[in-house]
Amino acid sequence: MTKPFLTILFILSIPLSNYAQEEIVLQYYNQFSSNISYATLGSLDINYERTISKYITAGVGVTSYSNSHNDLNLEKYDGYSDYKVNLEINPFVRLYVHNTQKKSLFIEVLGSYNEAEVNTGRRISRTVNNLGYGVYAYDYGAQKMENIGLGTGVGYRFLLLKNRLVLEAQFGVRTNLKEIWIYDIGLVRTGIKAGYRF
Amino acid sequence: MKKNIALIGIVLGSLFWTQCSPPDDDYINWNTIELKVKNALKIENKENYTVGDTLFFELNFSRYLPEDGQTTDLDVYETSGVNKFTYGFGMLKYSSFSDSYQGVSINEKYLLSEKGSVNYASQVFTILNPDTNIYESRIGIILVEEGEYQLDFSYLTLYSDYNPDKPSVGIEHIISEDLPLLLNFRVSK
């Protein structure tokens, strides 16, 4: 009786042992990545991500936006003026649905510090020309501002080449809290990223 | 876990789509500079004409005009960026049927433009003479029908041609008290 029982127990333990073998092992803790989509627009984007637990990572991203990128008008200020961000720093926390060591869907919560320029609209002003006559002309002004904000994103990360190479796609949005509230949302940290884990 | 993800996705999606529609990004704040010019209109009114005669009027004003509240004259051309200002005129003919003066449309072939230009809608364009810095127009009306007529210039405003990059200029023409507002003339055979 004991032998068959042990045999059955052994057979049943095989799938259970497989499950046990699939327990997550934290392999690589650090990751650098860059947004390839941004690079095609001339923007520079660098991210560092640190694995904290089986499902959680935290990191920071820095983006320097190019004029071509800003010309896409992906963000508004107060509903209508173009909000052209020059520099943005995004601390973030990610939750990987499957785990941090496998390809996985992730959800991201991010903060933002950004420096931007806002068009102040067209104004008219009068000056006196060289001949002493008055002239009215339009003035297209711009105002520099700094803002802090909050945002969120969702994406999927693939791990290739023995889990060293990272390829991920993400969609993210962010609103500024200092000057404007949730009325205006900008597109951030969106596109295809490639990176390396170590 | 999947339910939580779906719930988070719904919340995030609704957050994104509930933002109000922003105002039209193409809204433009139009600015028109308003000036005044006095007695710039001259009408050669003989009061009695024969069919086939031509009645002339001209309106000329300087490129540099005084502006209320300013110590320097305004360069109208450099401000507006256009060398044309437009104004309209109307001619009325007395009708016995109504015992009043009625508006008359003038065919383009009966309009002459010695300076500036005029179109079928009785719209006159004063054109800047770069040598004199004067916006000029001299228009003739060939009188082809007998009758009693009026030319009314009592409310006359000139507007600069449209230029998207520069402010518009509107010039109100003022007639001094000793000049008539309505000019009456007769055309006979």
Side-chain angles (χ1 to χ4, degrees):
Chain A
M1 188 63 178
T2 309
K3 277 190 179 177
F5 174 74
L6 289 173
T7 305
I8 292 169
L9 193 64
F10 175 75
I11 293 169
L12 286 175
S13 70
I14 293 173
L16 288 175
S17 64
N18 284 339
Y19 179 80
Q21 286 175 8
E22 287 192 355
E23 268 201 10
I24 296 132
V25 175
L26 295 180
Q27 190 178 15
Y28 301 114
Y29 285 86
N30 305 291
Q31 173 183 308
F32 275 109
S33 65
S34 180
N35 193 317
I36 303 171
S37 312
Y38 282 12
T40 62
L41 296 170
S43 296
L44 179 63
D45 173 76
I46 298 174
N47 302 276
Y48 170 73
E49 189 173 341
R50 170 81 178 180
T51 301
I52 296 175
S53 69
K54 287 186 293 188
Y55 299 103
I56 307 291
T57 65
V60 63
V62 179
T63 307
S64 173
Y65 294 91
S66 67
N67 290 334
S68 301
H69 196 140
N70 280 320
D71 286 344
L72 296 177
N73 297 332
L74 297 174
E75 192 166 355
K76 297 292 182 184
Y77 175 76
D78 208 12
Y80 57 95
S81 295
D82 296 332
Y83 189 77
K84 299 183 185 296
V85 181
N86 295 321
L87 177 71
E88 183 159 7
I89 300 172
N90 300 115
F92 61 88
V93 173
R94 282 185 178 180
L95 166 68
Y96 285 85
V97 172
H98 299 118
N99 72 71
T100 59
Q101 304 302 311
K102 295 171 72 172
K103 65 177 183 179
S104 174
L105 176 74
F106 64 83
I107 296 169
E108 181 178 283
V109 175
L110 62 102
S112 173
Y113 164 81
N114 55 89
E115 298 176 352
E117 285 184 6
V118 177
N119 290 333
T120 51
R122 188 174 69 177
R123 297 175 296 186
I124 192 169
S125 59
R126 191 184 198 272
T127 57
V128 178
N129 65 13
N130 295 336
L131 298 177
Y133 294 107
V135 177
Y136 283 96
Y138 288 131
D139 176 26
Y140 298 89
Q143 177 187 359
K144 289 190 176 180
M145 54 175 55
E146 299 171 350
N147 275 313
I148 54 174
L150 288 174
T152 186
V154 63
Y156 201 95
R157 185 176 72 173
F158 296 91
L159 297 177
L160 310 167
L161 299 180
K162 297 182 181 179
N163 294 344
R164 285 276 198 181
L165 186 65
V166 170
L167 203 61
E168 62 181 52
Q170 182 180 352
F171 172 80
V173 292
R174 184 259 296 130
T175 185
N176 282 314
L177 304 175
K178 187 178 176 184
E179 295 290 342
I180 46 175
W181 194 49
I182 209 162
Y183 184 79
D184 290 312
I185 292 180
L187 204 64
V188 296
R189 295 178 60 74
T190 295
I192 308 294
K193 290 193 186 75
Y196 183 78
R197 301 171 76 219
F198 58 97
Chain B
M1 182 59 120
K2 287 184 180 177
K3 283 185 182 176
N4 290 338
I5 294 169
L7 182 61
I8 291 169
I10 291 169
V11 170
L12 294 177
S14 60
L15 198 67
F16 182 74
W17 290 110
T18 50
Q19 64 169 326
C20 301
S21 298
D24 186 356
D25 194 40
D26 294 327
Y27 172 76
I28 297 175
N29 182 25
W30 294 106
N31 290 105
T32 300
I33 311 302
E34 295 177 347
L35 303 171
K36 292 176 185 168
V37 65
K38 196 172 182 181
N39 297 334
L41 179 69
K42 301 283 188 284
I43 306 175
E44 300 170 0
N45 188 13
K46 297 188 297 184
E47 297 183 358
N48 288 290
Y49 295 87
T50 307
V51 170
D53 286 347
T54 302
L55 182 152
F56 281 97
F57 63 87
E58 57 184 282
L59 194 155
N60 306 305
F61 62 93
S62 172
R63 166 181 170 176
Y64 307 108
L65 294 176
E67 186 182 4
D68 289 343
Q70 301 290 342
T71 56
T72 53
D73 288 351
L74 185 70
D75 186 335
V76 165
Y77 173 66
E78 195 169 334
T79 292
S80 65
V82 298
N83 65 346
K84 284 184 185 178
F85 273 75
T86 182
Y87 64 95
F89 74 94
M91 194 162 80
L92 301 94
K93 183 180 179 183
Y94 178 77
S95 170
S96 300
F97 285 103
S98 60
D99 193 23
S100 64
Y101 284 87
Q102 304 294 319
V104 173
S105 295
I106 306 174
N107 192 297
E108 233 174 326
K109 62 184 177 183
Y110 301 123
L111 294 170
L112 303 176
S113 53
E114 293 187 352
K115 293 179 184 176
S117 63
V118 61
N119 65 18
Y120 67 94
S122 299
Q123 195 177 22
V124 180
F125 295 90
T126 62
I127 299 177
L128 179 66
N129 184 329
D131 297 324
T132 61
N133 285 322
I134 301 286
Y135 283 88
E136 302 173 329
S137 65
R138 178 174 165 81
I139 305 301
I141 305 172
I142 303 173
L143 304 170
V144 296
E145 283 183 6
E146 57 180 322
E148 293 185 16
Y149 294 88
Q150 278 185 344
L151 271 179
D152 186 359
F153 286 102
S154 51
Y155 300 101
L156 178 59
T157 304
L158 301 100
Y159 295 100
S160 59
D161 257 7
Y162 171 71
N163 186 327
D165 298 323
K166 298 213 174 212
S168 301
V169 177
I171 305 173
E172 181 188 357
H173 181 259
I174 299 173
I175 302 176
S176 59
E177 291 178 0
D178 57 343
L179 290 177
L181 301 176
L182 288 176
L183 284 86
N184 297 288
F185 60 95
R186 176 176 293 172
V187 179
S188 309
K189 280 189 180 177

